Amino acid sequence: MKIKYQNYKTGFLVCWVFFLSACGGGEADATNGLAAGGNNVRQGSYEVVTLAGTGAAGFVDGPGSTAQFSYPTSLTVDGAGNVFVADEGNNVVRKIAPDGAVMTFAGQPGVNAYQDGSGSAAIFSDLIKGIAADPLGNLFVSDSNNKRIRKITPAGAVTTFAGSWYWDIVNGPIDQAQFNDTRGLAFDSKGNLYVTEVARHLVRKIGADGIVSTLAGDGSAGYVDCYPGSCARFNQPESIAVDSKDNLYVSESGNHMIRKITPAGAVSTFAGSGLAGFQDGAANLARFNSPVGVVVDSNDNVYVADQNNRVIRRITQYGVVSTAVGRPNYKGNQNGLGTQASFGLPSGLAIDKNDNLYVVDYLNHNVRKLVLK
């Protein structure tokens, strides 16, 4: 049975949000220290600092203050606190150590091709978008123009994990599967890897058993919430994140929404009215503008790199959207607390075990860290 539905918020939520506003509570701004949602949100606000990058495009390894990146798109953090960056403009994967030192972990700077190998012997395309780490410290990279998911071991050995040379949607064993314009990557607790495909409007699953399947989407651009996921429709799904219950959260730049997929495959709208813009508040009324990066913290709050609004948004499990950091619609490269900070074009997001956030700023060619105070 196929069930199509809209994600209407309950009257309880609407009344709850109204009650908070009437009593002076409302949603949190970026400086008040507590977002709406009570005990489900950690107290404290975020201070934005530059972890690495000078703000100018280039390719330089070394201390974070002098290192240079070129149009970084996404990043991930391993269990040891190392940050790995998909440095798309340089066609490489960079590593930022906990002390801020930057090195090239895999790939050849400026070389656009396909080759497996160790470290600098490996080659990536000029469109590396998503990156994720598994519990063992292996990295998985969405090498979109090579139509493959690449794997990098902790020692730096690069192999092809899934996909082939052809642009298509073919399910089956990982060495026979085909992909088309892959973007975000995320693991669930069972070792399944999920992949978004922006051009084909799909969410794919690479099972721990090595079998690729389509989890959600019918391949057409649109907006349909549905169970099972095969009858749902997305519009440019970008990034993907997983919560403690293995629910998936998908950012959609085309629909200006965050969608939710349960482990059973039911697709619903988690936040966003579908209209481009900027508005905090109840999730069904909130507005985003081309959201891209998405992560989930230890309390299952969802954070979104709201790219064209140039801010980082927070969505509680109570369905309230607030602005965590950044000045809406203001282009800058300033560090500071909450709304004192500004971004050029925040793209990818990552989160560490202490709930510190990391942001790649695509236009400022740097990596920013949001330290939880």
Side-chain angles (χ1 to χ4, degrees):
M1 177 184 294
K2 296 181 178 180
I3 304 172
K4 298 183 179 180
Y5 53 90
Q6 293 291 343
N7 186 46
Y8 294 104
K9 305 297 179 184
T10 66
F12 172 80
L13 173 61
V14 174
C15 293
W16 182 79
V17 172
F18 175 79
F19 173 77
L20 282 176
S21 299
C23 295
E27 86 240 13
D29 62 22
T31 59
N32 71 2
L34 185 62
N39 294 329
N40 202 39
V41 181
R42 287 184 61 178
Q43 295 191 31
S45 55
Y46 283 100
E47 181 181 5
V48 180
V49 299
T50 299
L51 181 66
T54 64
F59 177 78
V60 176
D61 284 335
S65 59
T66 59
Q68 291 187 338
F69 301 83
S70 181
Y71 301 102
T73 57
S74 58
L75 73 175
T76 191
V77 186
D78 69 11
N82 299 296
V83 178
F84 296 88
V85 181
D87 191 4
E88 182 177 83
N90 286 316
N91 314 98
V92 294
V93 175
R94 313 283 289 279
K95 176 183 177 180
I96 309 174
D99 64 1
V102 178
M103 63 168 287
T104 301
F105 191 62
Q108 297 182 26
V111 180
N112 173 23
Y114 166 71
Q115 181 173 294
D116 286 336
S118 184
S120 60
I123 304 177
F124 297 88
S125 75
D126 59 354
L127 199 66
I128 50 176
K129 289 294 185 181
I131 185 168
D134 71 10
L136 299 178
N138 298 298
L139 301 178
F140 295 79
V141 178
S142 176
D143 192 358
S144 188
N145 268 0
N146 280 325
K147 313 163 192 67
R148 295 171 170 93
I149 308 300
R150 314 285 289 278
K151 178 181 178 179
I152 313 175
T153 69
V158 179
T159 57
T160 297
F161 179 67
S164 65
W165 183 244
Y166 300 97
W167 292 93
D168 207 343
I169 302 299
V170 175
N171 292 322
I174 55 175
D175 58 344
Q176 300 174 23
Q178 295 176 15
F179 297 88
N180 189 331
D181 209 356
T182 56
R183 286 292 192 270
L185 299 170
F187 279 96
D188 68 11
S189 65
K190 299 177 177 61
N192 302 302
L193 179 61
Y194 298 90
V195 185
T196 57
E197 296 200 59
V198 68
R200 297 299 289 268
H201 317 288
L202 297 172
V203 177
R204 309 280 293 281
K205 175 182 177 181
I206 305 176
D209 59 359
I211 301 299
V212 178
S213 59
T214 299
L215 177 70
D218 69 359
S220 299
Y223 169 59
V224 177
D225 283 335
C226 192
Y227 174 78
S230 58
C231 60
R233 285 190 176 180
F234 299 86
N235 191 347
Q236 297 179 346
E238 296 278 357
S239 297
I240 191 165
V242 185
D243 71 11
S244 63
K245 300 178 179 65
D246 282 343
N247 296 298
L248 307 180
Y249 299 87
V250 179
S251 61
E252 282 185 282
S253 61
N255 281 329
H256 311 289
M257 291 177 168
I258 308 302
R259 309 285 286 281
K260 179 179 180 179
I261 309 174
T262 68
V267 178
S268 62
T269 301
F270 184 65
S273 67
L275 299 174
F278 177 80
Q279 182 173 316
D280 284 335
N284 62 326
L285 301 177
R287 292 188 183 187
F288 300 85
N289 195 343
S290 298
V292 181
V294 60
V295 294
V296 181
D297 73 10
S298 60
N299 292 307
D300 285 343
N301 302 297
V302 178
Y303 291 81
V304 180
D306 193 359
Q307 186 171 252
N308 286 350
N309 281 322
R310 307 181 197 278
V311 294
I312 308 302
R313 312 286 288 279
R314 173 172 46 202
I315 313 167
T316 73
Q317 287 295 323
Y318 291 90
V320 179
V321 179
S322 61
T323 301
V325 293
R327 298 171 60 182
N329 302 308
Y330 179 84
K331 182 180 178 181
N333 189 24
Q334 183 175 336
N335 292 324
L337 189 67
T339 55
Q340 298 171 0
S342 58
F343 299 90
L345 201 69
S347 179
L349 284 179
I351 193 164
D352 66 20
K353 60 186 178 183
N354 296 316
D355 282 347
N356 298 303
L357 295 171
Y358 300 81
V359 183
V360 284
D361 194 331
Y362 185 79
L363 289 184
N364 284 324
H365 314 285
N366 60 16
V367 178
R368 318 281 287 278
K369 182 177 182 180
L370 280 59
V371 182
L372 187 62
K373 295 296 185 179

